[in-house]
Amino acid sequence: MAGVKLLGFWASPFGYRVIWTLKLKGINYEYIEEYLRNKSQLLLHHNPVHKKIPVLLHGDKAVAESLNPLLPTDAYERAIARFWINFGESKGATFFQLFKSAAGEEQEKAIKETVEILKIIEEQSLGDKKFFGGEAIGLVDIAFGWLAYWFEGTEEAVGIKLLNSTTFPRLHAWIQNFKQVPVIKENLPDRQKLMAHLKRFRESLIQ
Protein backbone atom coordinates (compact mmCIF):
# COMPACT_ATOMS: atom_id res chain seq x y z
CA MET A 1 0.00 0.00 0.00
CA ALA A 2 1.35 3.42 -0.96
CA GLY A 3 2.33 5.69 1.90
CA VAL A 4 0.12 8.47 3.21
CA LYS A 5 1.60 11.92 3.66
CA LEU A 6 0.10 15.04 5.21
CA LEU A 7 1.41 18.47 4.27
CA GLY A 8 0.44 20.83 7.05
CA PHE A 9 1.28 23.84 9.18
CA TRP A 10 1.70 23.38 12.92
CA ALA A 11 -0.75 26.14 13.92
CA SER A 12 -3.54 25.30 11.48
CA PRO A 13 -6.76 23.88 12.94
CA PHE A 14 -7.56 22.52 9.47
CA GLY A 15 -4.42 20.43 9.57
CA TYR A 16 -5.30 19.10 12.99
CA ARG A 17 -8.72 18.02 11.76
CA VAL A 18 -6.94 15.72 9.30
CA ILE A 19 -4.48 14.53 11.97
CA TRP A 20 -7.31 13.67 14.39
CA THR A 21 -9.21 11.85 11.65
CA LEU A 22 -6.21 9.80 10.53
CA LYS A 23 -5.43 8.88 14.14
CA LEU A 24 -9.03 7.90 14.88
CA LYS A 25 -9.08 5.76 11.74
CA GLY A 26 -5.77 4.13 12.67
CA ILE A 27 -4.01 5.22 9.48
CA ASN A 28 -0.22 5.61 9.61
CA TYR A 29 1.06 8.70 7.85
CA GLU A 30 4.12 10.88 7.41
CA TYR A 31 3.71 14.50 8.49
CA ILE A 32 5.54 17.14 6.47
CA GLU A 33 5.67 20.66 7.92
CA GLU A 34 5.16 23.44 5.39
CA TYR A 35 6.62 26.94 5.68
CA LEU A 36 3.90 29.19 4.35
CA ARG A 37 6.29 31.93 3.25
CA ASN A 38 8.39 29.42 1.34
CA LYS A 39 6.03 26.69 0.19
CA SER A 40 7.53 23.42 -0.99
CA GLN A 41 7.45 22.22 -4.57
CA LEU A 42 5.50 19.21 -3.30
CA LEU A 43 2.70 21.48 -2.05
CA LEU A 44 2.70 23.65 -5.16
CA HIS A 45 2.61 20.58 -7.38
CA HIS A 46 -0.33 18.94 -5.64
CA ASN A 47 -2.32 22.11 -4.89
CA PRO A 48 -1.29 24.50 -7.70
CA VAL A 49 -4.47 26.60 -7.69
CA HIS A 50 -5.10 27.40 -4.02
CA LYS A 51 -1.58 26.63 -2.76
CA LYS A 52 -3.03 25.97 0.69
CA ILE A 53 -2.60 23.37 3.40
CA PRO A 54 -3.53 20.79 4.44
CA VAL A 55 -2.87 18.48 1.52
CA LEU A 56 -3.32 14.75 1.98
CA LEU A 57 -1.32 12.48 -0.32
CA HIS A 58 -1.81 8.79 -1.00
CA GLY A 59 1.27 7.69 -2.90
CA ASP A 60 1.90 10.43 -5.43
CA LYS A 61 -1.72 11.55 -5.67
CA ALA A 62 -3.56 14.23 -3.74
CA VAL A 63 -6.79 12.77 -2.40
CA ALA A 64 -9.97 14.18 -1.01
CA GLU A 65 -9.94 13.48 2.71
CA SER A 66 -12.22 10.47 3.22
CA LEU A 67 -14.02 10.92 6.51
CA ASN A 68 -16.97 8.60 5.85
CA PRO A 69 -16.04 6.09 8.60
CA LEU A 70 -16.59 8.84 11.17
CA LEU A 71 -20.05 9.68 9.86
CA PRO A 72 -23.12 8.04 11.47
CA THR A 73 -24.28 4.80 9.86
CA ASP A 74 -27.92 5.92 9.72
CA ALA A 75 -28.70 7.84 6.51
CA TYR A 76 -30.76 10.53 8.26
CA GLU A 77 -28.11 11.07 10.91
CA ARG A 78 -25.44 11.27 8.18
CA ALA A 79 -27.45 14.00 6.45
CA ILE A 80 -27.78 15.92 9.72
CA ALA A 81 -24.04 15.60 10.37
CA ARG A 82 -23.22 16.93 6.91
CA PHE A 83 -25.64 19.83 7.43
CA TRP A 84 -23.86 20.95 10.61
CA ILE A 85 -20.43 20.52 9.08
CA ASN A 86 -21.48 22.74 6.18
CA PHE A 87 -23.04 25.20 8.64
CA GLY A 88 -19.76 25.51 10.51
CA GLU A 89 -17.79 25.94 7.30
CA SER A 90 -20.14 28.70 6.13
CA LYS A 91 -19.61 30.70 9.34
CA GLY A 92 -15.81 30.73 9.16
CA ALA A 93 -15.72 34.30 7.83
CA THR A 94 -17.66 35.55 10.87
CA PHE A 95 -15.17 34.04 13.31
CA PHE A 96 -12.28 35.44 11.29
CA GLN A 97 -13.91 38.87 11.35
CA LEU A 98 -14.00 38.65 15.14
CA PHE A 99 -10.35 37.63 15.23
CA LYS A 100 -9.18 40.63 13.20
CA SER A 101 -11.61 43.20 14.63
CA ALA A 102 -10.40 46.22 16.56
CA ALA A 103 -12.30 47.66 19.52
CA GLY A 104 -15.37 49.63 18.51
CA GLU A 105 -18.44 49.24 16.37
CA GLU A 106 -16.86 46.65 14.06
CA GLN A 107 -15.93 44.42 16.99
CA GLU A 108 -19.32 44.79 18.65
CA LYS A 109 -20.98 43.62 15.44
CA ALA A 110 -18.59 40.66 15.15
CA ILE A 111 -19.21 39.70 18.79
CA LYS A 112 -22.98 39.79 18.33
CA GLU A 113 -22.84 37.62 15.20
CA THR A 114 -20.42 35.16 16.83
CA VAL A 115 -22.61 34.76 19.90
CA GLU A 116 -25.62 34.07 17.69
CA ILE A 117 -23.70 31.31 15.88
CA LEU A 118 -22.49 29.75 19.13
CA LYS A 119 -26.06 29.80 20.44
CA ILE A 120 -27.31 27.95 17.34
CA ILE A 121 -24.53 25.36 17.63
CA GLU A 122 -25.20 24.76 21.32
CA GLU A 123 -28.99 24.67 21.22
CA GLN A 124 -29.75 23.11 17.84
CA SER A 125 -26.73 20.92 17.10
CA LEU A 126 -25.17 19.82 20.39
CA GLY A 127 -28.21 19.90 22.65
CA ASP A 128 -27.78 17.77 25.76
CA LYS A 129 -25.45 15.23 24.16
CA LYS A 130 -21.90 14.51 25.35
CA PHE A 131 -20.63 14.74 21.77
CA PHE A 132 -22.39 16.06 18.70
CA GLY A 133 -23.19 12.55 17.55
CA GLY A 134 -24.00 11.13 20.98
CA GLU A 135 -21.67 9.23 23.31
CA ALA A 136 -18.73 8.87 20.92
CA ILE A 137 -16.66 11.42 19.05
CA GLY A 138 -17.62 11.78 15.39
CA LEU A 139 -17.10 13.88 12.32
CA VAL A 140 -19.09 16.90 13.55
CA ASP A 141 -16.91 16.99 16.67
CA ILE A 142 -13.82 16.99 14.45
CA ALA A 143 -15.29 19.76 12.30
CA PHE A 144 -16.05 21.93 15.35
CA GLY A 145 -12.88 20.83 17.14
CA TRP A 146 -11.15 24.16 16.60
CA LEU A 147 -13.65 25.72 19.02
CA ALA A 148 -12.12 23.62 21.79
CA TYR A 149 -8.67 25.18 21.46
CA TRP A 150 -8.25 27.84 18.78
CA PHE A 151 -11.36 29.84 19.71
CA GLU A 152 -10.03 30.28 23.23
CA GLY A 153 -6.86 31.60 21.62
CA THR A 154 -8.93 34.00 19.54
CA GLU A 155 -10.67 35.28 22.66
CA GLU A 156 -7.36 35.87 24.41
CA ALA A 157 -5.81 37.58 21.39
CA VAL A 158 -8.82 39.88 20.99
CA GLY A 159 -9.22 40.46 24.74
CA ILE A 160 -12.76 39.14 25.19
CA LYS A 161 -14.45 36.10 26.72
CA LEU A 162 -17.60 34.79 25.07
CA LEU A 163 -17.63 31.04 25.65
CA ASN A 164 -17.57 29.86 29.26
CA SER A 165 -19.52 27.63 31.64
CA THR A 166 -22.06 30.40 32.31
CA THR A 167 -22.74 31.73 28.81
CA PHE A 168 -22.65 28.40 26.97
CA PRO A 169 -22.64 25.61 29.57
CA ARG A 170 -23.24 22.73 27.15
CA LEU A 171 -20.62 23.86 24.64
CA HIS A 172 -18.21 24.43 27.51
CA ALA A 173 -18.83 20.90 28.80
CA TRP A 174 -18.35 19.52 25.28
CA ILE A 175 -14.98 21.28 25.05
CA GLN A 176 -13.82 19.60 28.25
CA ASN A 177 -15.03 16.20 27.01
CA PHE A 178 -13.49 16.70 23.58
CA LYS A 179 -10.08 17.65 24.92
CA GLN A 180 -10.03 14.56 27.16
CA VAL A 181 -10.27 12.18 24.19
CA PRO A 182 -6.73 10.71 24.01
CA VAL A 183 -6.30 11.32 20.26
CA ILE A 184 -7.25 14.98 20.73
CA LYS A 185 -5.37 15.52 23.99
CA GLU A 186 -2.16 14.09 22.53
CA ASN A 187 -2.39 16.07 19.28
CA LEU A 188 -2.69 19.77 20.02
CA PRO A 189 -0.17 22.54 19.36
CA ASP A 190 1.85 24.04 22.20
CA ARG A 191 -0.36 26.62 23.91
CA GLN A 192 2.25 29.36 24.41
CA LYS A 193 3.64 28.96 20.92
CA LEU A 194 0.14 29.09 19.43
CA MET A 195 -0.77 32.23 21.37
CA ALA A 196 2.38 34.01 20.23
CA HIS A 197 1.55 33.06 16.64
CA LEU A 198 -2.09 34.19 16.89
CA LYS A 199 -1.15 37.54 18.43
CA ARG A 200 1.47 38.22 15.76
CA PHE A 201 -0.95 37.25 13.03
CA ARG A 202 -3.70 39.45 14.44
CA GLU A 203 -1.38 42.41 14.76
CA SER A 204 -0.43 42.05 11.10
CA LEU A 205 -4.11 42.18 10.14
CA ILE A 206 -5.11 45.28 12.11
CA GLN A 207 -2.11 47.50 11.39
Side-chain angles (χ1 to χ4, degrees):
M1 180 179 177
V4 176
K5 296 179 181 179
L6 172 61
L7 311 184
F9 175 58
W10 71 269
S12 168
F14 301 105
Y16 277 92
R17 292 201 309 195
V18 184
I19 289 172
W20 296 334
T21 302
L22 292 172
K23 295 273 187 180
L24 286 167
K25 291 164 69 173
I27 297 175
N28 293 323
Y29 66 97
E30 177 188 353
Y31 177 79
I32 300 174
E33 179 72 10
E34 285 289 335
Y35 299 92
L36 302 187
R37 293 184 179 180
N38 185 23
K39 296 172 182 176
S40 71
Q41 288 302 310
L42 189 62
L43 172 62
L44 297 177
H45 173 72
H46 287 290
N47 194 0
V49 178
H50 300 293
K51 304 176 184 178
K52 293 180 179 181
I53 52 90
V55 173
L56 190 63
L57 302 176
H58 185 208
D60 62 351
K61 295 182 179 179
V63 295
E65 178 191 348
S66 178
L67 304 180
N68 288 333
L70 294 180
L71 283 168
T73 54
D74 179 78
Y76 174 75
E77 291 180 354
R78 278 201 307 274
I80 295 297
R82 289 193 175 101
F83 170 84
W84 286 112
I85 292 165
N86 291 334
F87 175 84
E89 295 291 330
S90 72
K91 302 303 179 183
T94 300
F95 287 104
F96 186 64
Q97 189 63 39
L98 174 67
F99 176 73
K100 67 177 186 176
S101 66
E105 199 172 303
E106 176 192 17
Q107 190 173 96
E108 290 175 7
K109 181 175 182 289
I111 288 174
K112 181 181 178 181
E113 292 177 352
T114 300
V115 167
E116 289 174 354
I117 293 169
L118 292 174
K119 186 175 180 181
I120 291 171
I121 293 171
E122 178 176 81
E123 294 181 356
Q124 299 184 35
S125 182
L126 179 61
D128 294 320
K129 300 185 294 291
K130 181 178 180 179
F131 295 107
F132 283 91
E135 288 300 309
I137 188 172
L139 186 52
V140 180
D141 299 279
I142 296 295
F144 283 130
W146 74 275
L147 283 172
Y149 202 72
W150 284 262
F151 185 69
E152 187 177 36
T154 294
E155 290 177 311
E156 185 174 330
V158 177
I160 58 175
K161 190 63 181 173
L162 304 180
L163 201 169
N164 56 50
S165 59
T166 301
T167 55
F168 295 99
R170 286 172 287 183
L171 262 182
H172 184 267
W174 167 79
I175 287 173
Q176 309 314 309
N177 291 328
F178 183 77
K179 290 194 293 188
Q180 287 305 309
V181 175
V183 161
I184 308 302
K185 189 176 183 179
E186 296 164 9
N187 293 279
L188 289 170
D190 178 80
R191 169 75 178 168
Q192 289 186 330
K193 186 179 177 184
L194 179 64
M195 283 312 308
H197 167 75
L198 290 176
K199 288 177 180 179
R200 284 195 305 269
F201 183 37
R202 183 171 184 272
E203 287 169 5
S204 73
L205 294 172
I206 63 177
Q207 285 178 350

